[in-house]
Short mmCIF file of all heavy atoms in Angstrom, two decimals:
data_model
loop_
_atom_site.label_atom_id
_atom_site.label_comp_id
_atom_site.label_asym_id
_atom_site.label_seq_id
_atom_site.Cartn_x
_atom_site.Cartn_y
_atom_site.Cartn_z
N ILE A 1 -27.36 45.34 -34.71
CA ILE A 1 -26.23 44.64 -34.10
C ILE A 1 -26.23 44.82 -32.58
O ILE A 1 -26.04 43.87 -31.81
CB ILE A 1 -24.90 45.16 -34.70
CG1 ILE A 1 -24.81 44.81 -36.19
CG2 ILE A 1 -23.70 44.61 -33.94
CD1 ILE A 1 -23.68 45.51 -36.92
N LEU A 2 -26.48 46.05 -32.15
CA LEU A 2 -26.48 46.36 -30.71
C LEU A 2 -27.57 45.58 -29.98
O LEU A 2 -27.33 45.01 -28.91
CB LEU A 2 -26.67 47.87 -30.52
CG LEU A 2 -26.59 48.38 -29.08
CD1 LEU A 2 -25.16 48.24 -28.55
CD2 LEU A 2 -27.03 49.85 -29.03
N ASP A 3 -28.77 45.55 -30.54
CA ASP A 3 -29.88 44.86 -29.89
C ASP A 3 -29.68 43.35 -29.82
O ASP A 3 -30.27 42.68 -28.97
CB ASP A 3 -31.19 45.17 -30.62
CG ASP A 3 -31.64 46.61 -30.43
OD1 ASP A 3 -31.15 47.25 -29.47
OD2 ASP A 3 -32.46 47.10 -31.23
N ALA A 4 -28.85 42.81 -30.73
CA ALA A 4 -28.63 41.36 -30.77
C ALA A 4 -27.56 40.90 -29.78
O ALA A 4 -27.36 39.68 -29.61
CB ALA A 4 -28.24 40.93 -32.18
N LEU A 5 -26.88 41.83 -29.11
CA LEU A 5 -25.84 41.43 -28.16
C LEU A 5 -26.45 40.66 -26.98
O LEU A 5 -27.46 41.09 -26.41
CB LEU A 5 -25.11 42.66 -27.63
CG LEU A 5 -24.08 43.34 -28.53
CD1 LEU A 5 -23.53 44.58 -27.83
CD2 LEU A 5 -22.94 42.39 -28.89
N PRO A 6 -25.85 39.55 -26.59
CA PRO A 6 -26.31 38.85 -25.38
C PRO A 6 -26.13 39.74 -24.14
O PRO A 6 -25.29 40.64 -24.11
CB PRO A 6 -25.40 37.61 -25.31
CG PRO A 6 -24.87 37.45 -26.70
CD PRO A 6 -24.76 38.83 -27.27
N ASP A 7 -26.92 39.47 -23.12
CA ASP A 7 -26.89 40.31 -21.92
C ASP A 7 -25.67 40.07 -21.03
O ASP A 7 -25.49 40.77 -20.04
CB ASP A 7 -28.17 40.08 -21.10
CG ASP A 7 -29.40 40.62 -21.81
OD1 ASP A 7 -29.24 41.55 -22.63
OD2 ASP A 7 -30.51 40.12 -21.54
N ASN A 8 -24.85 39.07 -21.37
CA ASN A 8 -23.73 38.73 -20.50
C ASN A 8 -22.37 39.07 -21.09
O ASN A 8 -21.34 38.65 -20.57
CB ASN A 8 -23.77 37.24 -20.14
CG ASN A 8 -23.69 36.34 -21.38
OD1 ASN A 8 -23.80 36.81 -22.49
ND2 ASN A 8 -23.47 35.05 -21.14
N VAL A 9 -22.34 39.83 -22.21
CA VAL A 9 -21.05 40.14 -22.83
C VAL A 9 -20.38 41.30 -22.12
O VAL A 9 -21.02 42.08 -21.40
CB VAL A 9 -21.20 40.45 -24.34
CG1 VAL A 9 -21.75 39.25 -25.07
CG2 VAL A 9 -22.07 41.68 -24.54
N CYS A 10 -19.10 41.44 -22.37
CA CYS A 10 -18.31 42.52 -21.78
C CYS A 10 -18.87 43.88 -22.19
O CYS A 10 -19.17 44.11 -23.37
CB CYS A 10 -16.86 42.38 -22.22
SG CYS A 10 -15.77 43.66 -21.58
N GLY A 11 -19.01 44.79 -21.24
CA GLY A 11 -19.43 46.16 -21.52
C GLY A 11 -20.91 46.33 -21.78
O GLY A 11 -21.33 47.42 -22.18
N ILE A 12 -21.73 45.31 -21.54
CA ILE A 12 -23.15 45.40 -21.87
C ILE A 12 -23.84 46.51 -21.07
O ILE A 12 -24.87 47.03 -21.48
CB ILE A 12 -23.85 44.04 -21.64
CG1 ILE A 12 -25.21 44.00 -22.34
CG2 ILE A 12 -23.95 43.74 -20.15
CD1 ILE A 12 -25.15 44.14 -23.84
N GLN A 13 -23.24 46.89 -19.94
CA GLN A 13 -23.83 47.97 -19.13
C GLN A 13 -23.83 49.31 -19.89
O GLN A 13 -24.55 50.24 -19.50
CB GLN A 13 -23.08 48.13 -17.79
CG GLN A 13 -21.67 48.68 -17.91
CD GLN A 13 -20.64 47.61 -18.20
OE1 GLN A 13 -20.98 46.44 -18.44
NE2 GLN A 13 -19.36 47.98 -18.19
N ASP A 14 -23.05 49.39 -20.97
CA ASP A 14 -22.98 50.63 -21.75
C ASP A 14 -23.92 50.60 -22.97
O ASP A 14 -23.87 51.50 -23.79
CB ASP A 14 -21.55 50.88 -22.23
CG ASP A 14 -20.61 51.20 -21.08
OD1 ASP A 14 -21.02 51.98 -20.20
OD2 ASP A 14 -19.48 50.66 -21.06
N ARG A 15 -24.75 49.57 -23.08
CA ARG A 15 -25.61 49.47 -24.26
C ARG A 15 -26.50 50.70 -24.39
O ARG A 15 -26.67 51.23 -25.50
CB ARG A 15 -26.47 48.21 -24.20
CG ARG A 15 -27.48 48.18 -25.33
CD ARG A 15 -27.94 46.82 -25.77
NE ARG A 15 -28.24 45.89 -24.72
CZ ARG A 15 -28.42 44.58 -24.94
NH1 ARG A 15 -28.32 44.08 -26.15
NH2 ARG A 15 -28.69 43.76 -23.94
N ASN A 16 -27.07 51.18 -23.31
CA ASN A 16 -27.97 52.35 -23.39
C ASN A 16 -27.22 53.61 -23.80
O ASN A 16 -27.79 54.49 -24.47
CB ASN A 16 -28.70 52.55 -22.07
CG ASN A 16 -29.76 51.50 -21.83
OD1 ASN A 16 -30.23 50.86 -22.78
ND2 ASN A 16 -30.14 51.31 -20.58
N VAL A 17 -25.96 53.70 -23.40
CA VAL A 17 -25.15 54.86 -23.81
C VAL A 17 -24.97 54.86 -25.33
O VAL A 17 -25.12 55.89 -26.00
CB VAL A 17 -23.77 54.82 -23.11
CG1 VAL A 17 -22.85 55.91 -23.66
CG2 VAL A 17 -23.93 54.96 -21.61
N VAL A 18 -24.66 53.69 -25.88
CA VAL A 18 -24.46 53.57 -27.33
C VAL A 18 -25.78 53.78 -28.06
O VAL A 18 -25.84 54.47 -29.08
CB VAL A 18 -23.86 52.19 -27.67
CG1 VAL A 18 -23.69 52.05 -29.18
CG2 VAL A 18 -22.52 52.01 -26.96
N LYS A 19 -26.85 53.21 -27.53
CA LYS A 19 -28.15 53.36 -28.18
C LYS A 19 -28.58 54.82 -28.22
O LYS A 19 -29.17 55.28 -29.21
CB LYS A 19 -29.21 52.53 -27.45
CG LYS A 19 -30.59 52.60 -28.07
CD LYS A 19 -31.55 51.58 -27.50
CE LYS A 19 -31.26 50.21 -28.06
NZ LYS A 19 -32.33 49.22 -27.74
N ALA A 20 -28.28 55.57 -27.18
CA ALA A 20 -28.63 57.00 -27.15
C ALA A 20 -27.92 57.75 -28.28
O ALA A 20 -28.49 58.67 -28.89
CB ALA A 20 -28.28 57.60 -25.80
N LEU A 21 -26.68 57.38 -28.58
CA LEU A 21 -25.95 58.02 -29.67
C LEU A 21 -26.58 57.69 -31.03
O LEU A 21 -26.66 58.54 -31.92
CB LEU A 21 -24.48 57.57 -29.67
CG LEU A 21 -23.63 57.98 -28.47
CD1 LEU A 21 -22.25 57.36 -28.57
CD2 LEU A 21 -23.53 59.50 -28.35
N LEU A 22 -27.03 56.45 -31.18
CA LEU A 22 -27.57 56.00 -32.47
C LEU A 22 -28.99 56.49 -32.72
O LEU A 22 -29.41 56.60 -33.87
CB LEU A 22 -27.54 54.47 -32.54
CG LEU A 22 -26.16 53.81 -32.50
CD1 LEU A 22 -26.30 52.30 -32.41
CD2 LEU A 22 -25.35 54.21 -33.73
N THR A 23 -29.73 56.76 -31.66
CA THR A 23 -31.13 57.16 -31.82
C THR A 23 -31.34 58.67 -31.67
O THR A 23 -32.45 59.15 -31.88
CB THR A 23 -32.03 56.43 -30.81
OG1 THR A 23 -31.55 56.68 -29.48
CG2 THR A 23 -32.02 54.93 -31.07
N ALA A 24 -30.29 59.40 -31.30
CA ALA A 24 -30.42 60.86 -31.19
C ALA A 24 -30.76 61.46 -32.56
O ALA A 24 -30.24 61.01 -33.58
CB ALA A 24 -29.12 61.47 -30.67
N LYS A 25 -31.64 62.43 -32.57
CA LYS A 25 -32.04 63.04 -33.83
C LYS A 25 -30.92 63.93 -34.36
O LYS A 25 -30.52 64.90 -33.70
CB LYS A 25 -33.31 63.87 -33.64
CG LYS A 25 -33.84 64.48 -34.94
CD LYS A 25 -35.11 65.25 -34.71
CE LYS A 25 -35.63 65.84 -36.03
NZ LYS A 25 -36.88 66.61 -35.84
N PRO A 26 -30.38 63.64 -35.53
CA PRO A 26 -29.28 64.46 -36.06
C PRO A 26 -29.74 65.87 -36.42
O PRO A 26 -30.89 66.08 -36.82
CB PRO A 26 -28.84 63.70 -37.32
CG PRO A 26 -29.40 62.32 -37.18
CD PRO A 26 -30.68 62.49 -36.41
N ALA A 27 -28.84 66.80 -36.26
CA ALA A 27 -29.07 68.18 -36.68
C ALA A 27 -28.37 68.40 -38.02
O ALA A 27 -27.57 67.57 -38.47
CB ALA A 27 -28.53 69.14 -35.63
N SER A 28 -28.70 69.51 -38.66
CA SER A 28 -27.98 69.87 -39.88
C SER A 28 -26.51 70.10 -39.55
O SER A 28 -26.19 70.76 -38.56
CB SER A 28 -28.58 71.13 -40.50
OG SER A 28 -29.90 70.91 -40.93
N ILE A 29 -25.64 69.54 -40.36
CA ILE A 29 -24.21 69.63 -40.07
C ILE A 29 -23.69 71.03 -40.37
O ILE A 29 -23.88 71.56 -41.47
CB ILE A 29 -23.42 68.59 -40.88
CG1 ILE A 29 -23.78 67.17 -40.39
CG2 ILE A 29 -21.91 68.82 -40.74
CD1 ILE A 29 -23.07 66.07 -41.12
N ASP A 30 -23.07 71.62 -39.38
CA ASP A 30 -22.45 72.94 -39.52
C ASP A 30 -20.97 72.72 -39.87
O ASP A 30 -20.13 72.53 -38.99
CB ASP A 30 -22.59 73.73 -38.22
CG ASP A 30 -21.97 75.11 -38.29
OD1 ASP A 30 -21.50 75.49 -39.39
OD2 ASP A 30 -21.93 75.80 -37.26
N THR A 31 -20.66 72.71 -41.15
CA THR A 31 -19.29 72.39 -41.57
C THR A 31 -18.29 73.44 -41.07
O THR A 31 -17.12 73.12 -40.85
CB THR A 31 -19.19 72.27 -43.09
OG1 THR A 31 -19.75 73.44 -43.70
CG2 THR A 31 -19.97 71.05 -43.58
N ASP A 32 -18.74 74.68 -40.89
CA ASP A 32 -17.83 75.71 -40.40
C ASP A 32 -17.38 75.43 -38.97
O ASP A 32 -16.42 76.02 -38.48
CB ASP A 32 -18.51 77.08 -40.44
CG ASP A 32 -18.76 77.56 -41.87
OD1 ASP A 32 -18.03 77.09 -42.76
OD2 ASP A 32 -19.69 78.36 -42.08
N ASN A 33 -18.08 74.51 -38.30
CA ASN A 33 -17.81 74.21 -36.91
C ASN A 33 -16.89 72.99 -36.74
O ASN A 33 -16.44 72.70 -35.64
CB ASN A 33 -19.15 73.94 -36.19
CG ASN A 33 -19.07 74.12 -34.69
OD1 ASN A 33 -18.32 74.95 -34.18
ND2 ASN A 33 -19.84 73.32 -33.98
N LEU A 34 -16.61 72.27 -37.83
CA LEU A 34 -15.89 71.01 -37.72
C LEU A 34 -14.49 71.17 -37.13
O LEU A 34 -14.04 70.32 -36.35
CB LEU A 34 -15.80 70.34 -39.10
CG LEU A 34 -17.08 69.78 -39.69
CD1 LEU A 34 -16.83 69.18 -41.07
CD2 LEU A 34 -17.70 68.73 -38.76
N SER A 35 -13.82 72.22 -37.48
CA SER A 35 -12.43 72.40 -37.02
C SER A 35 -12.34 72.62 -35.52
O SER A 35 -11.25 72.60 -34.95
CB SER A 35 -11.78 73.57 -37.76
OG SER A 35 -12.49 74.76 -37.52
#
C-alpha cells in the first residue's frame, strides 16, 4: 500500500519514516516490558 502511493499526496515526505518502521527487523517480544 505504501509503495503504491502517488508522489504528490499529502505527507508523502514521511514515506521513508513509515517504511523504516515496516522493514525494521522485529525482536522477540518481551511481554514483561509492555507495561
Side-chain angles (χ1 to χ4, degrees):
I1 295 169
L2 185 67
D3 290 341
L5 283 177
D7 291 335
N8 60 349
V9 298
C10 179
I12 196 62
Q13 70 275 6
D14 292 317
R15 174 154 43 193
N16 288 339
V17 173
V18 178
K19 181 169 284 191
L21 295 175
L22 296 173
T23 57
K25 184 178 180 180
S28 295
I29 293 180
D30 180 5
T31 53
D32 292 336
N33 201 33
L34 289 179
S35 60

